[in-house]
Amino acid sequence: MGAGPFRVCLILIWLLSTVADRLWWGHHAGLPSWDQADYLNSALDHGRALGVLTGGGWQGWNALLDLSPKIPPLASLVNGTVMAVAGDAPSEAAWTLSFWNGLLLVSSAGWALQFLRPRRSARGFALLAASSVALAPMLLELRTDYVLELPLTALVTLALWRLGAWTSPRAGGLWWQALLAACAVALSLLVKQSALLVLLPALGWSLVTAQRIGRGRRLQALAGLILVLLSVFPWLRHNWITTLGGTNRAVIESAAREGDPGVFSLSGWLWYLRQVPLQIGSALLWIGLAGLVLLVVMRVRPRMATLSNQQDQADAWRWLMGTLFLGWLVTNLSPNKDPRYLAPLLPPLLVLLSRGWWQWGVWIRQRWPARSAWLPGLALTAGALVAIAPAWTAQSARLKPGHRYPLQAIVEKAGGADPIADPTTLIVVPSTPDLNQHNVSYYGRRNGGRLVGRQLGGSTDHIQPVLAHANWVLLAEGDQGSVSRSASSLDQAVRESGIFEEVEVFSRPKGGSYSLWKRRLDSAVPEGFEQRFPQLAAGMAQGPAGLDPVFSSVAIEHMLDGHFSYRAPLRRAALERLKQDPSDDTARWSLALLAVLTNRPAEAAHHFERLETSNPESPWPSAYRSVVLLAGWNPWYASSVASAAVERHGQHPILVSLESLAAVLGGAIWRLPEAVQSVPAAITKVEESLNPQAKGSS
């Protein structure tokens, strides 16, 4: 097969898979649930930040990086751009999945070209591998599920392919290969951090190989590593604290909450192996494995081996099987188990199994040489039909019937999906797959709308703030599954308070209803958070004792006001007060806290420095300044600030701990024992500040 027909066939595979996906979307009437709606919201945010979607515009790099506090932004940037062209309805936004599927097929086929010679055999094998990727049930599901695993899988496959090409002892070692591999690695990491589970061992292998071979590869490896770090650094520097917190919740806390098997248990090591037949299908798996056994048998029989004129490239197979095994090993070491974490390993596994399928074609040609022109193709076609049956059955099971869901009607009634309506926050008390805060926000912000949904009801502490400050509330009637007692209490309080009036009731497809409530015009006007904020911010002067009420209030306010509309008028008022009186500490505390909440550590450090000057007797402005300097990746200056504060205020446990910790982060590794020793004393000091009664009783 020549290069031209090969490309045409590869495009045909993509077109057929895209047609199948569009048919599925055409019959799917469901709504995006929690994760899917969350990623759609992220795409909307990034599309608006780029100025390609209605309702936003370019506001600078920091504003763009603010939109991806836990997960890197690349996929959302691409998805938001595709939305601008295709539309923002779920089925229209899904065209971005077709783009990522095309990249996955190209990467899989390109990688598969490296395994066989002559080139004609390699092209046929590459098309077979791409077909298996298109038919695998898990990858087929990801093509119709708006999550990040498909772009992650596509880019990880691209990175493994290009790393393998550069690592090759014979054909690798070129500068363009090194830079292309580095770009692919950087793009993978900018989609999702979990790319490291597969790429980290592959990168280690390639770096060891470069060190061993030499001949310019060490310099190429260094340049590639620098390129990767420079690509990831802006996002990581801006969001490293929220990224660490989010990763801890997603990996450590989620594993404990869901009862995942332990890392070192037998069930933990078998967990992903049990997922393989479900994710790639029994036909692809067992026929492929049998073909690999046949390959070994034919290789150990010299007469059978000499009948084939194709040659396997040992270096390429060694790389694929090594990275596949090491990726599985590291993925198993992650405490949180999820079937989607296996997705980046499926393309190399399918390429390996495709070698087994290919071997059956070789065997058929040798067994029936007179029919070798058509029989292998017929056998592979029959096998493909057998393989596609379970995949299509699984996809059909995911189709949701054409019920009329009321979500769009609800958000439109509350003023959503309308670019000229005022910014609105709808408090969502029920949380179900067909209606939750995430898909309320998505539908409320389509077409340039400015309605966002926020979930409250997880605690009885939410009742009073909702009654005092919320304007729109959505409740549910009928069977909702498991509902917490606090959510039921909030539901009852809204209905019986007399503060809200019922606007409209919307029927649910499976029975029950949703009811939309609005604050009555004759009820008391809610006090703006900007009026309470200065006093809360000034409470930070008390140290940790003042932080708890600040962040508790802010957490509730960010649910009640998803647009953070208090920030702009508060900032203007504080700046005006400072203009009139530069010594106004209350205004300075407000600006410092606003800078902390908006992740502007340099600005926060400036205000805390001014507060140090105006409050020389208090250690807390120095402590806060050191913390935000650490958050801004300036540990050397943070250590200097804390050290100067220790000289002024004595051996204050928190300042001592911050000084030693900042010094260690700045490179003074020899002070690690001192930092470890000072942290418990600092924690004790914080606990005493938060609970002074316990201190007195002890």
Side-chain angles (χ1 to χ4, degrees), residues 174-192:
L174 302 177
W175 270 102
W176 71 268
Q177 293 174 327
L179 295 178
L180 185 56
C183 288
V185 171
L187 293 175
S188 301
L189 296 177
L190 286 172
V191 167
K192 202 173 182 182

Side-chain angles (χ1 to χ4, degrees), residues 286-541:
W286 298 115
I287 295 176
L289 287 176
L292 293 174
V293 172
L294 177 63
L295 172 62
V296 173
V297 171
M298 294 180 68
R299 287 293 172 86
V300 299
R301 295 184 179 180
R303 187 182 67 84
M304 298 182 68
T306 56
L307 293 176
S308 176
N309 63 349
Q310 65 186 21
Q311 295 179 346
D312 287 280
Q313 303 300 298
D315 292 333
W317 285 113
R318 191 180 300 114
W319 170 260
L320 180 139
M321 289 187 286
T323 53
L324 179 60
F325 172 76
L326 292 173
W328 168 81
L329 185 70
V330 176
T331 300
N332 268 291
L333 293 176
S334 174
N336 188 28
K337 301 292 189 290
D338 190 301
R340 293 187 304 195
Y341 289 171
L342 195 59
L345 293 173
L346 295 184
L349 176 60
L350 289 165
V351 170
L352 179 61
L353 293 173
S354 296
R355 183 62 183 88
W357 279 70
W358 183 262
Q359 193 61 28
W360 282 113
V362 173
W363 179 78
I364 290 172
R365 288 190 184 93
Q366 295 183 4
R367 189 79 168 80
W368 294 285
R371 303 173 182 175
S372 61
W374 56 270
L375 190 56
L378 178 63
L380 291 176
T381 302
L385 293 175
V386 173
I388 199 175
W392 193 251
T393 300
Q395 278 293 84
S396 300
R398 293 178 59 239
L399 282 173
K400 294 186 178 181
H403 295 307
R404 181 176 177 81
Y405 292 91
L407 175 58
Q408 186 166 347
I410 291 171
V411 299
E412 289 177 354
K413 191 68 177 180
D418 183 357
I420 64 174
D422 293 333
T424 306
T425 301
L426 175 59
I427 303 302
V428 183
V429 178
S431 182
T432 63
D434 60 294
L435 193 145
N436 53 74
Q437 62 171 327
H438 300 299
N439 55 26
V440 165
S441 293
Y442 171 59
Y443 276 84
R445 298 191 307 139
R446 286 184 56 202
N447 303 318
R450 296 191 289 176
L451 181 143
V452 297
R454 289 295 182 264
Q455 187 85 42
L456 284 174
S459 169
T460 53
D461 293 338
H462 297 168
I463 295 176
Q464 192 279 328
V466 168
L467 296 181
H469 304 289
N471 287 305
W472 289 89
V473 183
L474 184 66
L475 306 177
E477 297 79 30
D479 182 22
Q480 303 172 55
S482 177
V483 180
S484 67
R485 184 174 299 178
S486 57
S488 299
S489 299
L490 176 57
D491 182 292
Q492 183 179 0
V494 170
R495 296 177 189 275
E496 299 177 355
S497 65
I499 298 173
F500 296 90
E501 60 183 356
E502 188 177 76
V503 176
E504 190 171 338
V505 176
F506 304 85
S507 298
R508 298 166 60 191
K510 298 180 181 179
S513 60
Y514 295 114
S515 56
L516 184 64
W517 297 70
K518 183 181 181 180
R519 179 174 289 273
R520 298 173 61 91
L521 294 177
D522 56 358
S523 65
V525 177
E527 181 186 22
F529 189 57
E530 63 272 13
Q531 298 173 2
R532 294 175 284 133
F533 189 94
Q535 183 178 358
L536 288 168
M540 294 175 64

